[in-house]
Amino acid sequence: MKQSFYFQLPDWLVNTLDGISSGPLNDQAQMRLAIKLSQTNTEQGGGPFAALVVNRADNIIVAAGVNLVTSRNLSCAHAEMVAISMAQQNLDCYRLSDKGDFQLVSSCEPCAMCFGAIPWSGVSRVLCGAGKADAEAVGFDEGPKPQDWEAALEHRGIEVVTGLLRIEAAQVLASYADSRGEVY
């Protein structure tokens, strides 16, 4: 039986992040990067999702994640879960709000699992590209989530922005399905 568990980012992602300017990125630039990472992840054999955790004080990326479900055989390795976990490890805390004000930028609206993790992650804002309907249209099972999930997060003090560059983000999902990528 294995005695350790961790998310290991793909080498291509680490190299991509190393090549990004260390300057601040606005919301649209952050989402464009998440969409680009989701597309690249599909080209590298992963799922069509990516996420970033960004420090809101300076708009600097503190962590990134891509969907590692099929490439690492981990059903919980959704892009948001990977990005949040990496941010917590990078900042040495289990609640990001202990270290500042952070936002989660996701190429797609969170599924039921990722929605459940967001309040405990310590992020104060969530930006979403594609929607649940876009993911389900190509066959992904997003799981049961409250219909008013945005209001539920906002009730907890977490701002939610949906549909940011939705068409571009949804295109990655559609291209993945067209290429017969594994839908789980």
Side-chain angles (χ1 to χ4, degrees):
M1 180 185 308
K2 292 188 177 195
Q3 298 296 314
S4 63
F5 172 79
Y6 62 93
F7 294 122
Q8 182 176 348
L9 296 177
D11 290 339
W12 71 262
L13 177 58
V14 174
N15 294 336
T16 300
L17 293 175
D18 286 345
I20 293 173
S21 164
S22 61
L25 300 172
N26 65 26
D27 289 352
Q28 286 205 342
Q30 291 169 31
M31 183 58 70
R32 276 193 186 90
L33 177 57
I35 293 167
K36 176 185 174 192
L37 295 176
S38 69
Q39 178 62 46
T40 303
N41 198 46
T42 67
E43 294 163 0
Q44 298 294 321
F49 304 96
L52 309 169
V53 174
V54 179
N55 184 329
R56 294 185 68 194
D58 55 15
N59 287 323
I60 301 291
I61 298 166
V62 297
V66 292
N67 184 284
L68 303 173
V69 171
T70 58
S71 62
R72 299 288 194 270
N73 293 313
L74 295 169
S75 63
C76 66
H78 289 200
E80 299 94 331
M81 302 296 282
V82 173
I84 289 167
S85 298
M86 296 304 295
Q88 291 168 335
Q89 290 294 295
N90 290 342
L91 297 171
D92 195 28
C93 63
Y94 61 87
R95 186 155 177 81
L96 295 171
S97 58
D98 291 346
K99 298 287 183 156
D101 188 12
F102 298 91
Q103 69 183 18
L104 176 66
V105 180
S106 179
S107 65
C108 189
E109 175 183 317
C111 68
M113 176 179 62
C114 297
F115 164 76
I118 288 170
W120 293 299
S121 70
V123 298
S124 64
R125 189 171 189 232
V126 178
L127 305 178
C128 307
K132 176 181 179 179
D134 299 314
E136 290 180 341
V138 299
F140 284 98
D141 179 357
E142 296 298 281
K145 180 172 75 174
Q147 199 159 4
D148 61 348
W149 69 273
E150 296 165 69
L153 290 179
E154 288 174 357
H155 180 73
R156 290 175 162 259
I158 301 168
E159 180 185 350
V160 178
V161 176
T162 59
L164 184 60
L165 302 177
R166 178 178 174 244
I167 293 170
E168 295 92 325
Q171 182 56 49
V172 174
L173 296 169
S175 294
Y176 180 78
D178 288 347
S179 69
R180 306 209 191 291
E182 187 175 355
V183 175
Y184 40 88

